[in-house]
Amino acid sequence: MSEEWQLPSSWCWTTTGEISSVVGGGTPDTSDSANFGGSIPWITPADMSNHHEKTIGGGARTITVQGLSCSGAKVLPAGTVLFSSRAPIGYVAVASNEVTTNQGFKSFIPKPGVFSDYFYYWLKASKKRAESLASGTTFLELSGAKAAQLPVPLAPIAEQTRIVAKLEELLSDLDAGV
């Protein structure tokens, strides 16, 4: 991978696939009502369209254990960074609890040493890059393989934490000013 720009010596360029597990989602058969209305939070890109918070714990619908078992949906742990990979590409949130998603997501379960909030902010800034890697005729979609290729400037964990704290301080000041 070519370097995007020069990083401090304690940082490195890596990819989303090297610092996380990339997980797709799924949708249970919608004609079977027994798949929906359970206790498992299920999120779609439509749920994210008006969601402006950093974290999310569920969407408009839930699925049942049966719906989970008969679909490609997977239970994602709290701290997973959810990234919509189609219709549209680029909605981002951090799971505040265990959730599932439909196939409109490529979600990233960070490996140790990767702060979910740091990953979240980087992915928010990477929307155009993700779109450039997408393909499709009806609508663009980012495949799991391409999602795993997104470059990430990885700082040491203490630095990730400081960066997030400073970003959130500045964003809070901006909100207060507005």
Side-chain angles (χ1 to χ4, degrees), residues 77-114:
T80 299
V81 183
L82 313 177
F83 187 80
S84 66
S85 57
R86 68 179 195 185
I89 294 171
Y91 291 147
V92 188
V94 178
S96 59
N97 47 265
E98 287 186 341
V99 300
T100 60
T101 66
N102 79 351
Q103 64 278 10
F105 285 87
K106 298 302 179 275
S107 298
F108 303 97
I109 303 172
K111 293 182 178 177
V114 180

Side-chain angles (χ1 to χ4, degrees), residues 3-29:
E3 291 187 6
E4 301 288 309
W5 60 81
Q6 188 69 33
L7 297 174
S9 62
S10 60
W11 294 40
C12 68
W13 278 106
T14 187
T15 64
T16 53
E18 291 174 348
I19 63 169
S20 70
S21 298
V22 182
V23 181
T27 300
D29 181 355

Side-chain angles (χ1 to χ4, degrees), residues 64-85:
T64 61
V65 172
Q66 173 184 307
L68 177 65
S69 66
C70 73
S71 72
K74 295 174 185 59
V75 176
L76 304 167
T80 299
V81 183
L82 313 177
F83 187 80
S84 66
S85 57

Side-chain angles (χ1 to χ4, degrees), residues 41-56:
W42 185 66
I43 302 169
T44 69
D47 294 317
M48 301 279 285
S49 65
N50 289 315
H51 184 82
H52 304 289
E53 303 298 319
K54 180 173 55 175
T55 61
I56 190 167

